[in-house]
Amino acid sequence: MKLYLKIWRQKNADSKGSMVDYTLDGVESDMSFLEMLDILNEELISKGEEPVEFDHDCREGICGTCSLMINGQPHGPDSRITVCQLHMRSFNDGDEIVIEPWRATAFPIIKDLIVDRSAFDRIQQAGGYISVNTSGRPVDANAIPIEKEMADKSFNAATCIGCGACVAACKNASAMLFTSAKVSQFALLPQGQVEAAERVQNMVRQMDLEGFGNCTNTGACEVECPKGISLENIARMNREYLSASVKG
């Protein structure tokens, strides 16, 4: 399979980037998208050229590190997958593929296809944890009765891998789906109730400080999320935030 690639190249955060054309031949349909990029980089290195920088880690669809915009769509044309799970059989011989990094002010480009997503880390650090001290021997978490419906919803929210596809898909570059998932996974459990008000206020405040846009309920975030995180989490976070603000 022969492909025509248009890839965003940018030397560093302070440089001006541009799209660069590459032609890659001999691509096999059972290759993953990242393996295809590996082949391209091998060719570039053999020619003495700079390889294309892109993030990757587990290559198993778990970490979300491999995030890319492919033909204008986060993670490419298939649904509920990350880029490392995208295979070249999703493309045809002679296809032109445009590959770009996430585009958001809060995700500044570091180099080529790599962006700085540490804004998500700071949102998480602002309150995405449980830190309540206990006196004496704490009760085992498994001994606390939790309704199955609530446990399932919390688990589903916790599957968010923080890839940033929700931000990339949103016309406002909003991080509401990510933040609400991290709020919900604790808000739905009794262990998270003690710090619930403080948590949602701190995390939303940090989200705004990072420069993410507002949510206008377009729904693109849920559609493009590789884990299918539900918009219900945004509604829940809004309720939690309003309640915390009134009590405060």
Side-chain angles (χ1 to χ4, degrees):
M1 185 161 47
K2 188 174 185 179
L3 299 171
Y4 301 94
L5 309 175
K6 289 183 174 294
I7 303 178
W8 182 262
R9 302 302 307 267
Q10 185 170 331
K11 187 175 181 180
N12 53 51
D14 300 321
S15 301
K16 183 178 180 180
S18 64
M19 302 300 294
V20 178
D21 295 339
Y22 299 98
T23 300
L24 188 61
D25 209 347
V27 177
E28 299 178 9
S29 61
D30 60 350
M31 286 181 178
S32 74
F33 199 87
L34 295 188
E35 288 173 329
M36 180 274 294
L37 290 178
D38 289 337
I39 297 299
L40 171 65
N41 279 342
E42 287 177 4
E43 289 192 4
L44 292 177
I45 292 171
S46 68
K47 296 175 184 177
E49 300 179 23
E50 279 282 322
V52 177
E53 299 283 350
F54 62 93
D55 271 330
H56 63 93
D57 191 5
C58 73
R59 298 202 178 201
E60 295 179 345
I62 298 171
C63 68
T65 306
C66 60
S67 305
L68 296 173
M69 187 73 79
I70 301 169
N71 288 341
Q73 190 170 355
H75 295 299
D78 292 351
S79 60
R80 299 293 173 88
I81 62 166
T82 53
V83 175
C84 62
Q85 297 173 298
L86 177 66
H87 287 82
M88 299 315 296
R89 55 180 168 265
S90 298
F91 303 92
N92 299 312
D93 183 39
D95 276 358
E96 179 181 88
I97 305 177
V98 181
I99 309 170
E100 301 173 87
W102 286 166
R103 302 290 190 180
T105 301
F107 289 160
I109 295 174
I110 296 174
K111 184 176 182 180
D112 292 340
L113 303 174
I114 299 176
V115 300
D116 181 357
R117 285 175 290 179
S118 60
F120 272 9
D121 296 331
R122 290 187 290 274
I123 292 173
Q124 184 80 347
Q125 291 162 4
Y129 51 82
I130 293 174
S131 63
V132 177
N133 292 324
T134 58
S135 59
R137 185 176 179 178
V139 178
D140 189 291
N142 292 327
I144 301 175
I146 302 173
E147 294 180 14
K148 185 179 187 304
E149 181 183 359
M150 294 296 103
D152 288 345
K153 287 181 178 180
S154 175
F155 181 83
N156 289 338
T159 60
C160 169
I161 55 178
C163 66
C166 51
V167 176
C170 179
K171 63 182 181 179
N172 305 319
S174 171
M176 289 283 278
L177 193 66
F178 165 80
T179 307
S180 65
K182 299 306 177 183
V183 167
S184 291
Q185 71 183 69
F186 295 113
L188 289 162
L189 300 177
Q191 295 93 331
Q193 292 302 311
V194 177
E195 297 173 296
E198 181 182 0
R199 176 183 302 110
V200 70
Q201 288 180 313
N202 288 343
M203 293 182 75
V204 169
R205 184 184 302 112
Q206 187 63 43
M207 177 185 69
D208 291 339
L209 287 172
E210 296 294 343
F212 291 104
N214 294 319
C215 173
T216 50
N217 293 313
T218 303
C221 54
E222 180 180 350
V223 172
E224 298 295 352
C225 175
K227 299 302 178 182
I229 302 299
S230 173
L231 285 174
E232 290 181 3
N233 291 297
I234 296 179
R236 182 179 299 106
M237 184 178 75
N238 286 337
R239 291 195 300 270
E240 291 275 332
Y241 185 80
L242 180 60
S243 176
S245 300
V246 170
K247 290 179 181 177

